[in-house]
Amino acid sequence: MNIIHRLFRSGISHKIAAQQLQQAPLQAEELSAELESNVALIKQIFGNSSDLVFRRLTAPIGAGLAVAAVYVEGIVNADKINDHILKPLMQPSENEVASPDGGPFALLWNRILTVGGIQEVTQTPQLFSALLSGQTIVLIEGCSRAIAAETSGGDRRSVEEPRSQNVIRGSKEGFTEDIVVNASLLRRRIKSPNLWMETRTIGKVTQTQVSVMYLKGVANDKVVAEIGNRLNKIDTDSILESGYIEEFIQDATFTPFPTIMNTERPDAAAAGILEGQIAILVDGTPFVLLAPVTFFKFFHSSEDYYHRYDIMTFIRIMRYIAFIMSMLMPSLYVAITTFHQEMLPTTLLISLMAQREGVPFPALVEALMMELTFEVLREAGIRMPRAIGSAISVVGALVLGQAAVQAGLVSAGMVIVVSFTAISNFVAPAINIAIAARLLRFVLIFLAGTLGLFGIMAGLLAILIHMAGLRSFGVPYLTPIAPFIAANQKDVFIRVPWWLMIMRPKLLVQQNQKRQGTTAQAAFASRKKKKSDQKQEP
């Protein structure tokens, strides 16, 4: 603490002091036995912040004991402080008036404070960390130990329906910005003592809580250890969202494809944990990370497992087709109309050429101009106030598209292609894989405008080679297609009935453990036995 005293005595600016404090971290020192000394130290370190509350009182213990309760206003539960800390300290029962063996600290710890979670604090870093986490510090005169009582609370957003991953059938609960609430939502769905949770603090300034949840015995221990090592190596001042963690621990940086999944749905996170994935919860954000992940996982929705398997198989295949179209449609249009007109039927070719007769730009410039215009409209619709955002995006697209066609700047065919491409891009359940398609679309358009279909094929080949080399914590990105795993084909492009999915995905678990347990195994065995009996009948 000598460094801090020197900085404040020198009268230098807060900015320089903060920089020097960051270069010279706060050293752990024991608390003083004097109550006023501890109070003065806390005020000095926090700069007499107005939201720091000190409640001094005299507890009727022995001849009267000076006690101080310290907490940060706004991040605590005031009712819990009043009912379980202040009232018990001011009105102890008759058999608690005399100081027991062990002194006042033991009396407060064992018999007076009625808060569920309490811990002993003996050093200054523990005290400051507890205060900023929403705990109430109880300082006692003549005692060099303090009590940190769990009283975190304040105004928080309640559990609501997810806004980014909506479903028709399924749970309407979504993660919140509170890491404790998020962990409880997962534990309500996975009622197993094997659901382990490891919590660490990351960020020198923000001190953000980051928790890793996984199913012991199902998740790969090597992957769990690797995620822990990568989290421990993070050296930064702030973690404000799970995207910070994602960039720090992902395998590949220079790639448009995400190698870590994020979800706002507790049921999706629970399903991933049951399949061997590891969930990373970050305090202050409703998005939970899941790793490792493969490319095909981004096309699976929670709703795929709540409806009939045949219907959802059709919808899943439609998602793959829409993703391919969102990448290739503009580039194919540019390549065919520029270099390969012989591929089109004569009637269609004449119609397209008639539309392009008055267009002053080549197809490449026309496509890039329309795509950039739509991207601007998309961003404007997101950033504008909700009341007018949708109107701006829809009306802007219609008015600008119609006006551009009438002015002869673009052809009607190009407007149709770009519009359908944009709609196809919204079909993907995961927004980050849709963003990857948006970025690759511009690269393929440029290749199509310069090399035609040969450029598109070269671009697709480069993309496939790049994807084949990606890893997500050691798992190949194109699993289970490359490498091909026959046992995992039941839930990739199609979704077979539940009674056929009795094994967890390979490469994500340590052993080929059963997904459903004895009930699914018995159902599968009974169906198999019934079919064999029918074949043996004359």
Side-chain angles (χ1 to χ4, degrees):
M1 198 61 67
N2 296 329
I3 298 175
I4 297 174
H5 286 302
R6 289 199 301 269
L7 291 175
F8 278 94
R9 287 198 196 103
S10 62
I12 61 179
S13 66
H14 294 290
K15 183 176 181 180
I16 299 177
Q19 293 176 352
Q20 296 187 21
L21 284 174
Q22 184 175 353
Q23 296 173 359
L26 188 65
Q27 296 181 356
E29 292 188 8
E30 301 293 332
L31 292 177
S32 172
E34 298 181 1
L35 176 62
E36 291 301 326
S37 176
N38 291 330
V39 170
L41 176 63
I42 295 173
K43 287 184 176 181
Q44 187 181 44
I45 297 301
F46 282 86
N48 288 321
S49 298
S50 57
D51 58 348
L52 194 64
V53 179
F54 293 86
R55 179 67 169 89
R56 292 180 175 86
L57 51 91
T58 301
I61 301 175
L65 180 67
V67 179
V70 187
Y71 58 90
V72 178
E73 189 178 16
I75 62 174
V76 297
N77 188 329
D79 294 335
K80 185 181 291 187
I81 295 175
N82 293 331
D83 296 337
H84 299 280
I85 296 179
L86 298 182
K87 286 183 179 179
L89 282 174
M90 300 176 69
Q91 300 175 355
S93 58
E94 295 180 357
N95 59 351
E96 294 171 349
V97 173
S99 180
D101 296 336
F105 183 88
L107 177 61
L108 267 63
W109 181 280
N110 296 322
R111 304 180 65 180
I112 292 183
L113 297 181
T114 58
V115 180
I118 58 175
Q119 59 180 351
E120 180 181 348
V121 176
T122 59
Q123 296 182 335
T124 50
Q126 292 177 281
L127 186 145
F128 300 138
S129 177
L131 269 178
L132 295 173
S133 298
Q135 300 183 36
T136 299
I137 304 298
V138 180
L139 302 171
I140 307 170
E141 177 65 39
C143 183
S144 60
R145 297 180 293 171
I147 298 176
E150 177 56 48
T151 57
S152 59
D155 294 333
R156 297 175 179 174
R157 186 170 66 93
S158 59
V159 177
E160 300 173 354
E161 184 176 357
R163 299 181 181 180
S164 62
Q165 298 172 337
N166 298 325
V167 296
I168 297 175
R169 179 176 180 178
S171 173
K172 301 303 179 183
E173 289 183 333
F175 287 122
T176 69
E177 287 75 14
D178 190 348
I179 192 172
V180 177
V181 175
N182 295 342
S184 66
L185 291 174
L186 290 176
R187 289 202 176 273
R188 289 176 183 175
R189 286 164 172 79
I190 305 177
K191 300 179 179 65
S192 170
N194 292 328
L195 182 60
W196 289 12
M197 180 175 176
E198 302 173 2
T199 303
R200 50 180 54 81
T201 301
I202 303 177
K204 297 176 183 177
V205 178
T206 59
Q207 295 289 304
T208 306
Q209 285 188 336
V210 179
S211 297
V212 177
M213 296 188 73
Y214 59 95
L215 204 57
K216 182 63 176 177
V218 174
N220 193 311
D221 290 337
K222 294 182 179 180
V223 176
V224 175
E226 179 63 22
I227 290 178
N229 292 334
R230 295 186 188 184
L231 289 175
N232 293 333
K233 292 179 181 178
I234 295 177
D235 185 14
T236 183
D237 286 343
S238 61
I239 297 292
L240 300 178
E241 216 277 336
S242 58
Y244 287 45
I245 299 294
E246 182 176 355
E247 288 197 29
F248 273 114
I249 68 174
Q250 64 185 355
D251 290 69
T253 300
F254 302 103
T255 177
F257 295 100
T259 55
I260 298 177
M261 178 180 287
N262 64 78
T263 180
E264 201 179 357
R265 301 189 58 84
D267 54 346
I273 292 175
L274 290 171
E275 290 186 353
Q277 291 181 299
I278 294 94
I280 303 174
L281 289 70
V282 181
D283 193 24
T285 174
F287 290 93
V288 171
L289 304 179
L290 290 174
V293 70
T294 62
F295 171 73
F296 304 100
K297 277 289 183 181
F298 292 99
F299 296 92
H300 298 178
S301 173
S302 302
E303 205 170 13
D304 292 355
Y305 307 96
Y306 304 151
H307 291 283
R308 285 179 51 87
Y309 68 93
D310 47 1
I311 299 173
M312 300 319 298
T313 296
F314 168 75
I315 294 178
R316 182 177 293 182
I317 294 174
M318 185 178 64
R319 292 193 195 115
Y320 286 107
I321 296 175
F323 176 78
I324 295 173
M325 294 179 68
S326 67
M327 278 201 311
L328 294 180
M329 272 197 70
S331 57
L332 287 175
Y333 180 86
V334 171
I336 292 174
T337 56
T338 305
F339 298 100
H340 310 282
Q341 295 91 344
E342 68 278 0
M343 297 181 63
L344 296 176
T346 305
T347 306
L348 179 59
L349 179 61
I350 294 174
S351 176
L352 291 178
M353 291 301 104
Q355 295 175 18
R356 290 190 45 79
E357 183 178 0
V359 177
F361 306 109
L364 174 60
V365 177
E366 185 183 4
L368 291 176
M369 184 171 59
M370 286 299 299
E371 287 290 343
L372 289 174
T373 302
F374 184 80
E375 293 297 331
V376 171
L377 288 172
R378 185 205 299 259
E379 286 300 310
I382 295 174
R383 310 302 169 198
M384 293 291 289
R386 185 177 301 177
I388 62 175
S390 58
I392 290 293
S393 58
V394 175
V395 175
L398 292 175
V399 172
L400 287 179
Q402 183 67 23
V405 172
Q406 292 181 356
L409 297 178
V410 296
S411 62
M414 180 60 73
V415 174
I416 295 173
V417 169
V418 171
S419 301
F420 191 77
T421 300
I423 295 173
S424 300
N425 194 247
F426 289 111
V427 176
I431 186 64
N432 42 7
I433 200 66
I435 293 175
R438 290 165 59 185
L439 295 177
L440 295 173
R441 186 189 310 155
F442 287 95
V443 178
L444 293 175
I445 289 174
F446 180 78
L447 291 174
T450 54
L451 299 174
L453 290 179
F454 301 101
I456 295 177
M457 296 304 296
L460 290 177
L461 184 60
I463 292 172
L464 287 175
I465 293 174
H466 172 71
M467 293 174 65
L470 290 179
R471 296 289 186 275
S472 178
F473 295 92
V475 177
Y477 197 56
L478 294 180
T479 304
I481 301 301
F484 184 81
I485 303 175
N488 290 9
Q489 302 303 314
K490 300 176 181 179
D491 193 23
V492 181
F493 297 104
I494 64 173
R495 204 273 280 179
V496 300
W498 269 113
W499 55 269
L500 278 176
M501 292 194 291
I502 61 174
M503 305 296 291
R504 288 190 172 91
K506 294 183 180 179
L507 294 184
L508 292 182
V509 295
Q510 302 179 57
Q511 300 175 351
N512 295 335
Q513 299 183 9
K514 295 176 181 169
R515 181 199 293 262
Q516 286 281 71
T518 56
T519 304
Q521 182 183 16
F524 178 72
S526 62
R527 288 174 182 266
K528 189 174 181 181
K529 183 176 181 302
K530 184 177 180 180
K531 290 181 179 180
S532 63
D533 293 342
Q534 291 176 352
K535 290 181 180 179
Q536 293 177 0
E537 291 180 359

